[in-house]
Amino acid sequence: MPTLFERIMDGEIPSDQVYEDEICVVFRDVAPQAPTHVLVVPRTPIQSLADGLNAALAGHLLVVANKVAQQEGLSDGYRVVINCGADGGQSVDHLHVHVLGGRALGWPPG
Ligand code: DGP
């Protein structure tokens, strides 16, 4: 069964895509928690951060997160979040990196 994010990347489910390369795709979150809220999603459907992410892919996702943050004009800063598993609040079982910005974000998270 393809994951929800594979179905988005295949175009079966529409999305507002802001970036893509051979390794990952970035699209806007359907339920944004900040003025800018995008998801950096590897094309390979790794379930979570706890499931075999390698250093090269992890690094690429972070480099792309910063690239898109600059593209989105987040010059005052931004936050990168990876929710992992049930306690981490992960709801889609396809690894993804949240990039949030456009307002001052609170800390700690709930
Ligand atoms: P997480 O809770 O960390 O697994 O984040 C999953 C995110 O995915 C959540 O912020 C909402 C987003 N999301 C869920 N369904 C869709 C969808 O169909 N389209 C888009 N663009 N985002 C979605």
Short mmCIF file of all heavy atoms in Angstrom, two decimals, residues 39-75:
data_model
loop_
_atom_site.label_atom_id
_atom_site.label_comp_id
_atom_site.label_asym_id
_atom_site.label_seq_id
_atom_site.Cartn_x
_atom_site.Cartn_y
_atom_site.Cartn_z
N LEU A 39 6.46 20.52 4.27
CA LEU A 39 6.95 19.20 4.63
C LEU A 39 7.98 18.75 3.60
O LEU A 39 7.70 18.76 2.39
CB LEU A 39 5.79 18.19 4.65
CG LEU A 39 4.61 18.55 5.55
CD1 LEU A 39 3.45 17.56 5.33
CD2 LEU A 39 5.03 18.55 7.02
N VAL A 40 9.15 18.39 4.08
CA VAL A 40 10.21 17.85 3.22
C VAL A 40 10.11 16.33 3.31
O VAL A 40 10.29 15.75 4.38
CB VAL A 40 11.60 18.32 3.68
CG1 VAL A 40 12.67 17.82 2.72
CG2 VAL A 40 11.64 19.85 3.83
N VAL A 41 9.80 15.70 2.18
CA VAL A 41 9.45 14.27 2.19
C VAL A 41 10.38 13.50 1.25
O VAL A 41 10.42 13.80 0.04
CB VAL A 41 7.99 14.09 1.73
CG1 VAL A 41 7.59 12.62 1.80
CG2 VAL A 41 7.04 14.94 2.57
N PRO A 42 11.11 12.51 1.76
CA PRO A 42 11.94 11.70 0.87
C PRO A 42 11.06 10.86 -0.07
O PRO A 42 9.99 10.38 0.34
CB PRO A 42 12.73 10.80 1.83
CG PRO A 42 11.91 10.73 3.07
CD PRO A 42 11.17 12.05 3.16
N ARG A 43 11.53 10.70 -1.30
CA ARG A 43 10.76 9.87 -2.24
C ARG A 43 10.69 8.43 -1.76
O ARG A 43 9.69 7.74 -1.98
CB ARG A 43 11.39 9.95 -3.64
CG ARG A 43 11.25 11.34 -4.28
CD ARG A 43 11.78 11.33 -5.71
NE ARG A 43 11.75 12.66 -6.30
CZ ARG A 43 10.67 13.22 -6.88
NH1 ARG A 43 9.54 12.56 -6.95
NH2 ARG A 43 10.74 14.43 -7.39
N THR A 44 11.75 7.96 -1.10
CA THR A 44 11.74 6.61 -0.52
C THR A 44 10.89 6.61 0.74
O THR A 44 11.11 7.44 1.63
CB THR A 44 13.19 6.19 -0.16
OG1 THR A 44 13.99 6.28 -1.34
CG2 THR A 44 13.22 4.78 0.39
N PRO A 45 9.91 5.70 0.82
CA PRO A 45 8.97 5.74 1.95
C PRO A 45 9.51 5.10 3.22
O PRO A 45 9.03 4.08 3.69
CB PRO A 45 7.76 4.98 1.41
CG PRO A 45 8.32 4.00 0.45
CD PRO A 45 9.53 4.68 -0.18
N ILE A 46 10.53 5.71 3.81
CA ILE A 46 11.02 5.29 5.13
C ILE A 46 9.93 5.66 6.15
O ILE A 46 9.39 6.77 6.10
CB ILE A 46 12.32 6.03 5.46
CG1 ILE A 46 13.41 5.62 4.48
CG2 ILE A 46 12.75 5.79 6.89
CD1 ILE A 46 14.61 6.55 4.48
N GLN A 47 9.62 4.72 7.05
CA GLN A 47 8.47 4.95 7.93
C GLN A 47 8.70 6.10 8.90
O GLN A 47 7.80 6.93 9.11
CB GLN A 47 8.17 3.66 8.71
CG GLN A 47 6.87 3.74 9.49
CD GLN A 47 6.51 2.40 10.12
OE1 GLN A 47 6.78 1.35 9.56
NE2 GLN A 47 5.90 2.46 11.29
N SER A 48 9.87 6.15 9.51
CA SER A 48 10.12 7.20 10.50
C SER A 48 11.61 7.38 10.69
O SER A 48 12.43 6.62 10.12
CB SER A 48 9.47 6.85 11.84
OG SER A 48 10.30 5.97 12.58
N LEU A 49 11.96 8.34 11.53
CA LEU A 49 13.37 8.58 11.85
C LEU A 49 14.01 7.34 12.49
O LEU A 49 15.22 7.15 12.40
CB LEU A 49 13.46 9.77 12.82
CG LEU A 49 14.81 10.40 13.10
CD1 LEU A 49 15.50 10.85 11.83
CD2 LEU A 49 14.66 11.57 14.06
N ALA A 50 13.19 6.48 13.09
CA ALA A 50 13.70 5.29 13.76
C ALA A 50 13.83 4.09 12.83
O ALA A 50 14.09 2.97 13.27
CB ALA A 50 12.78 4.94 14.94
N ASP A 51 13.65 4.30 11.52
CA ASP A 51 13.60 3.18 10.59
C ASP A 51 14.61 3.29 9.45
O ASP A 51 14.23 3.36 8.27
CB ASP A 51 12.18 3.03 10.01
CG ASP A 51 11.20 2.56 11.06
OD1 ASP A 51 11.19 1.36 11.36
OD2 ASP A 51 10.49 3.42 11.62
N GLY A 52 15.87 3.35 9.79
CA GLY A 52 16.90 3.16 8.78
C GLY A 52 17.24 4.37 7.95
O GLY A 52 17.72 4.24 6.82
N LEU A 53 17.03 5.55 8.49
CA LEU A 53 17.46 6.76 7.79
C LEU A 53 18.99 6.80 7.78
O LEU A 53 19.62 6.61 8.81
CB LEU A 53 16.91 7.98 8.52
CG LEU A 53 17.33 9.36 8.00
CD1 LEU A 53 16.82 9.57 6.58
CD2 LEU A 53 16.80 10.44 8.93
N ASN A 54 19.58 7.01 6.61
CA ASN A 54 21.05 7.09 6.58
C ASN A 54 21.51 8.55 6.63
O ASN A 54 20.73 9.48 6.39
CB ASN A 54 21.63 6.33 5.39
CG ASN A 54 21.25 6.95 4.07
OD1 ASN A 54 21.50 8.13 3.84
ND2 ASN A 54 20.64 6.17 3.19
N ALA A 55 22.79 8.72 6.93
CA ALA A 55 23.33 10.07 7.16
C ALA A 55 23.23 10.93 5.91
O ALA A 55 22.94 12.14 6.00
CB ALA A 55 24.76 9.97 7.65
N ALA A 56 23.45 10.34 4.76
CA ALA A 56 23.41 11.12 3.51
C ALA A 56 22.01 11.66 3.27
O ALA A 56 21.83 12.84 2.91
CB ALA A 56 23.88 10.27 2.34
N LEU A 57 21.02 10.81 3.46
CA LEU A 57 19.63 11.26 3.25
C LEU A 57 19.25 12.29 4.31
O LEU A 57 18.63 13.32 4.00
CB LEU A 57 18.67 10.07 3.26
CG LEU A 57 17.19 10.42 3.08
CD1 LEU A 57 16.95 11.20 1.79
CD2 LEU A 57 16.33 9.15 3.10
N ALA A 58 19.60 12.01 5.56
CA ALA A 58 19.27 12.97 6.63
C ALA A 58 19.87 14.33 6.33
O ALA A 58 19.20 15.37 6.45
CB ALA A 58 19.80 12.44 7.97
N GLY A 59 21.13 14.33 5.89
CA GLY A 59 21.78 15.59 5.56
C GLY A 59 21.10 16.28 4.40
O GLY A 59 20.89 17.50 4.43
N HIS A 60 20.74 15.53 3.40
CA HIS A 60 20.08 16.13 2.23
C HIS A 60 18.75 16.78 2.64
O HIS A 60 18.45 17.90 2.21
CB HIS A 60 19.84 15.08 1.15
CG HIS A 60 19.28 15.65 -0.11
ND1 HIS A 60 20.04 16.27 -1.06
CD2 HIS A 60 17.99 15.73 -0.55
CE1 HIS A 60 19.27 16.71 -2.04
NE2 HIS A 60 18.02 16.40 -1.75
N LEU A 61 17.98 16.09 3.46
CA LEU A 61 16.68 16.64 3.86
C LEU A 61 16.86 17.96 4.62
O LEU A 61 16.09 18.90 4.44
CB LEU A 61 15.91 15.62 4.72
CG LEU A 61 15.55 14.30 4.02
CD1 LEU A 61 14.83 13.37 5.00
CD2 LEU A 61 14.69 14.51 2.77
N LEU A 62 17.90 18.03 5.45
CA LEU A 62 18.14 19.28 6.20
C LEU A 62 18.63 20.39 5.28
O LEU A 62 18.24 21.55 5.45
CB LEU A 62 19.13 19.02 7.34
CG LEU A 62 18.58 18.19 8.49
CD1 LEU A 62 19.66 17.96 9.54
CD2 LEU A 62 17.36 18.85 9.13
N VAL A 63 19.47 20.04 4.33
CA VAL A 63 19.94 21.06 3.38
C VAL A 63 18.76 21.61 2.58
O VAL A 63 18.63 22.83 2.37
CB VAL A 63 21.03 20.47 2.45
CG1 VAL A 63 21.31 21.39 1.26
CG2 VAL A 63 22.32 20.23 3.24
N VAL A 64 17.86 20.72 2.17
CA VAL A 64 16.67 21.16 1.42
C VAL A 64 15.75 21.97 2.34
O VAL A 64 15.17 22.97 1.90
CB VAL A 64 15.94 19.95 0.80
CG1 VAL A 64 14.58 20.36 0.27
CG2 VAL A 64 16.79 19.35 -0.32
N ALA A 65 15.62 21.57 3.59
CA ALA A 65 14.80 22.35 4.53
C ALA A 65 15.28 23.79 4.57
O ALA A 65 14.49 24.74 4.50
CB ALA A 65 14.84 21.71 5.92
N ASN A 66 16.58 23.99 4.67
CA ASN A 66 17.12 25.36 4.70
C ASN A 66 16.92 26.05 3.37
O ASN A 66 16.57 27.24 3.32
CB ASN A 66 18.59 25.34 5.08
CG ASN A 66 19.16 26.73 5.06
OD1 ASN A 66 18.72 27.60 5.80
ND2 ASN A 66 20.11 26.98 4.17
N LYS A 67 17.12 25.33 2.28
CA LYS A 67 16.95 25.93 0.94
C LYS A 67 15.52 26.45 0.78
O LYS A 67 15.30 27.58 0.31
CB LYS A 67 17.25 24.87 -0.13
CG LYS A 67 17.24 25.38 -1.55
CD LYS A 67 17.55 24.27 -2.54
CE LYS A 67 18.98 23.78 -2.45
NZ LYS A 67 19.35 22.86 -3.56
N VAL A 68 14.55 25.66 1.18
CA VAL A 68 13.15 26.07 1.04
C VAL A 68 12.82 27.21 2.01
O VAL A 68 12.08 28.13 1.67
CB VAL A 68 12.21 24.86 1.23
CG1 VAL A 68 10.75 25.30 1.27
CG2 VAL A 68 12.42 23.85 0.10
N ALA A 69 13.40 27.17 3.21
CA ALA A 69 13.18 28.27 4.16
C ALA A 69 13.67 29.59 3.56
O ALA A 69 12.99 30.62 3.68
CB ALA A 69 13.90 27.98 5.48
N GLN A 70 14.82 29.56 2.90
CA GLN A 70 15.33 30.78 2.24
C GLN A 70 14.39 31.18 1.11
O GLN A 70 14.05 32.37 0.94
CB GLN A 70 16.75 30.57 1.72
CG GLN A 70 17.77 30.15 2.78
CD GLN A 70 17.73 31.00 4.04
OE1 GLN A 70 17.62 32.22 3.97
NE2 GLN A 70 17.78 30.36 5.19
N GLN A 71 13.97 30.19 0.33
CA GLN A 71 13.05 30.43 -0.80
C GLN A 71 11.75 31.08 -0.31
O GLN A 71 11.15 31.91 -0.98
CB GLN A 71 12.77 29.07 -1.45
CG GLN A 71 11.96 29.03 -2.70
CD GLN A 71 11.83 27.58 -3.21
OE1 GLN A 71 12.81 26.93 -3.54
NE2 GLN A 71 10.62 27.06 -3.24
N GLU A 72 11.32 30.67 0.90
CA GLU A 72 10.07 31.17 1.46
C GLU A 72 10.26 32.52 2.17
O GLU A 72 9.31 33.07 2.71
CB GLU A 72 9.49 30.15 2.44
CG GLU A 72 8.99 28.86 1.79
CD GLU A 72 7.70 29.07 1.01
OE1 GLU A 72 6.79 29.73 1.52
OE2 GLU A 72 7.60 28.56 -0.12
N GLY A 73 11.50 32.99 2.21
CA GLY A 73 11.76 34.31 2.80
C GLY A 73 11.79 34.33 4.32
O GLY A 73 11.51 35.38 4.93
N LEU A 74 12.15 33.21 4.94
CA LEU A 74 12.12 33.13 6.40
C LEU A 74 13.43 33.68 6.99
O LEU A 74 14.16 32.99 7.72
CB LEU A 74 11.87 31.68 6.84
CG LEU A 74 10.57 31.07 6.30
CD1 LEU A 74 10.42 29.62 6.78
CD2 LEU A 74 9.36 31.90 6.72
N SER A 75 13.69 34.95 6.71
CA SER A 75 14.97 35.54 7.09
C SER A 75 15.11 35.78 8.59
O SER A 75 16.21 35.96 9.10
CB SER A 75 15.18 36.86 6.33
OG SER A 75 14.08 37.71 6.54
#
